[in-house]
Amino acid sequence: MPQPPPTDPPSDLPPDLSGDGAQTNLHSPQRWLIELRIAHADLDNLIDTASRVPGGDQLALQRLKKRKLLLRDQIARIEFELEPREPA
């Protein structure tokens, strides 16, 4: 079974993800968010395919599902950091 993509951000990703959106380089939070969404969709397809196999490896399927949840959490965290703050 193919390995899912890594979920760790690049080491040169800035710690402050609340940038002004002016970043257009390959390591911007927006770019990382797109890559995480693609990885999430790929895992979703892989899980769907693996769940159709009768007698498939249930442990591997559970690991894929857990990895997908971790990706979803990372996506939500980055989206929250990128949202503009509303004044109180």
Side-chain angles (χ1 to χ4, degrees):
M1 193 175 271
Q3 286 289 330
T7 57
D8 295 331
S11 59
D12 53 349
L13 186 66
D16 179 16
L17 298 177
S18 61
D20 60 358
Q23 282 185 318
T24 57
N25 67 32
L26 296 177
H27 302 294
S28 70
Q30 292 84 0
R31 172 69 181 214
W32 184 239
L33 184 59
I34 291 168
E35 290 188 24
L36 287 175
R37 286 178 176 155
I38 291 170
H40 186 269
D42 289 345
L43 266 177
D44 193 36
N45 290 332
L46 187 59
I47 289 167
D48 187 44
T49 303
S51 65
R52 292 182 191 169
V53 175
D57 186 354
Q58 292 301 311
L59 181 59
L61 189 58
Q62 288 301 322
R63 288 179 178 162
L64 290 173
K65 288 179 179 181
K66 184 174 182 179
R67 189 122 168 131
K68 182 180 164 193
L69 288 173
L70 291 172
L71 281 174
R72 186 184 67 187
D73 290 345
Q74 284 184 316
I75 291 168
R77 186 172 45 248
I78 292 173
E79 286 174 339
F80 177 78
E81 290 293 325
L82 292 175
E83 286 179 3
R85 307 279 191 251
E86 291 187 24

